[in-house]
Amino acid sequence: MRILVTGITGAIGSRLAPRLVDAGHEVRALTRRRDGSALTQLPAAVDLRIGDAVSGIGLAEALDGVEVAFYLIHSMEPGSEEQFGVRERRGAENFAEAAAAAGVRRIVYLGGLVPEAASSPHLISRLAVERILLETLPDSVALRASIVIGARSRSFRFLVRLVERMPVMIIPAWGKHRTAPIDERDVLSCLERAASDRHVGGRSLDLAGAEVVTYQQLIERIRDHLLLGRPSVRLPLLTLTPIASRVSAVIAGEQHALIGPLMAGLETDLLPRPESGLEALGVRPHRLDAAIERALRDWEVTEPLRGR
């Protein structure tokens, strides 16, 4: 198949494109700029095209002749004058309309798990993008994942940095909430299979890892794999305030414009719906400890960690 991958410089897109090439597909990638270290790591067979979903520039050319397109764009750029939700919806509308005009059969989208009463702007925006894509191209597939455990996953890196840099791990009220982190390898397998599986067209599927854990348990698992002696102190009265999220971003060395929306999703359980997306796509999940260890090992290849 001829496949277009967007978000090619991101944690998932940069790993997905080589897998698709190895599987024998003709892979095209959409990027806003031709520079960047992530692009230099792509196989030579990947056809790079310049374009931007929010402005719509270059979409028609990038989608010409494409059968399946992966939509892996999340608009949370720091310094943006508009709310990321507005940008995300505009980008999704432009991309879906251009894909329909080009005769694309299916869009595969990766978003986040959504609670029954979603209140986080980050999660509400993901859900809006999902609806836009599925309504415009009815054979599309939306995959929803919780925290992706991978060396370049921003949410995973954020938690690792907090553990590394805080001598005492202060667990706020959101530490009691539960989720089902998933190995990056399992996400990639599901994305690849979703491109061609005729049984999942028009569906929204939740991708859940092998274990449901609280955020506190996840942080403690990361601490143990880093071999760091960090005592945990629960402060149940400490809630997720804008000030707290800014302080956490500073400690982790991240930009609040990117971390703030992610942290807002911690205020409730993020659990999958009963039907398993991994089962529907025939993917067996890795254990959480195996996922954390693999992610940290991959991280260490390019950058030292303070623990271990």
Side-chain angles (χ1 to χ4, degrees):
M1 287 190 295
R2 180 177 292 169
I3 297 176
L4 176 69
V5 179
T6 65
I8 194 64
T9 60
I12 297 298
S14 61
R15 295 285 302 275
L16 178 63
R19 287 176 63 117
L20 296 174
V21 170
D22 290 343
H25 298 293
E26 182 181 342
V27 180
R28 187 179 291 171
L30 183 69
T31 178
R32 288 182 296 178
R33 296 176 295 274
R34 286 192 179 274
D35 57 341
S37 59
L39 296 178
T40 63
Q41 305 299 318
L42 292 175
V46 176
D47 177 16
L48 289 177
R49 301 295 181 94
I50 302 298
D52 178 67
V54 177
S55 67
I57 295 173
L59 292 184
E61 295 81 1
L63 289 161
D64 183 39
V66 166
E67 297 171 70
V68 174
F70 286 93
Y71 193 76
L72 307 174
I73 298 172
H74 296 151
S75 299
M76 294 192 297
E77 295 88 345
S80 172
E81 295 182 358
E82 299 176 283
Q83 292 183 347
F84 70 87
V86 175
R87 292 177 57 84
E88 284 204 323
R89 286 189 289 274
R90 182 182 301 162
E93 290 168 351
N94 289 340
F95 191 85
E97 291 171 4
V104 173
R105 174 175 59 85
R106 173 177 291 180
I107 297 175
V108 180
Y109 171 61
L110 179 63
L113 292 183
V114 179
E116 291 184 4
S119 59
S120 160
H122 169 73
L123 298 176
I124 292 173
S125 178
R126 296 290 185 265
L127 187 58
V129 169
E130 176 182 305
R131 288 171 176 164
I132 290 167
L133 300 179
L134 288 174
E135 288 174 1
T136 307
L137 269 75
D139 192 49
S140 295
V141 182
L143 303 179
R144 302 178 182 178
S146 177
I147 294 176
V148 176
I149 307 297
R152 292 189 58 208
S153 165
R154 187 169 293 277
S155 53
F156 177 70
R157 292 179 68 88
F158 170 68
L159 293 176
V160 170
R161 289 307 191 199
L162 284 181
V163 172
E164 282 188 314
R165 297 172 180 179
M166 295 180 66
V168 176
M169 297 194 308
I170 299 174
I171 310 296
W174 51 260
K176 67 182 179 182
H177 297 308
R178 301 168 297 155
T179 192
I182 183 167
D183 192 311
E184 177 187 73
R185 293 169 291 180
D186 300 332
V187 174
L188 292 169
S189 294
C190 288
L191 285 166
E192 186 176 351
R193 296 187 183 196
S196 57
D197 191 322
R198 61 186 180 87
H199 299 293
V200 297
R203 297 174 65 184
S204 169
L205 302 171
D206 287 359
L207 306 183
E211 299 177 56
V212 171
V213 294
T214 65
Y215 292 111
Q216 177 173 352
Q217 290 170 332
L218 176 57
I219 290 170
E220 290 172 345
R221 292 278 191 96
I222 293 172
R223 174 201 62 193
D224 293 344
H225 281 273
L226 286 170
L227 305 179
L228 292 171
R230 299 283 193 264
S232 299
V233 177
R234 287 199 63 182
L235 296 179
L237 298 181
L238 178 61
T239 58
L240 190 63
T241 65
I243 294 177
S245 66
R246 288 184 181 277
V247 171
S248 298
V250 170
I251 293 172
E254 290 280 5
Q255 299 182 64
H256 182 260
L258 298 172
I259 293 301
L262 295 177
M263 288 192 67
L266 304 179
E267 293 183 308
T268 184
D269 287 343
L270 284 180
L271 299 174
R273 291 167 291 183
E275 184 178 6
S276 169
L278 273 77
E279 184 175 332
L281 291 164
V283 175
R284 183 179 177 181
H286 289 81
R287 294 180 298 105
L288 177 57
D289 283 322
I292 294 172
E293 181 59 34
R294 172 61 181 265
L296 293 176
R297 192 165 65 246
D298 287 349
W299 189 333
E300 289 176 307
V301 171
T302 58
E303 183 182 359
L305 291 163
R306 294 189 181 183
R308 299 166 72 83

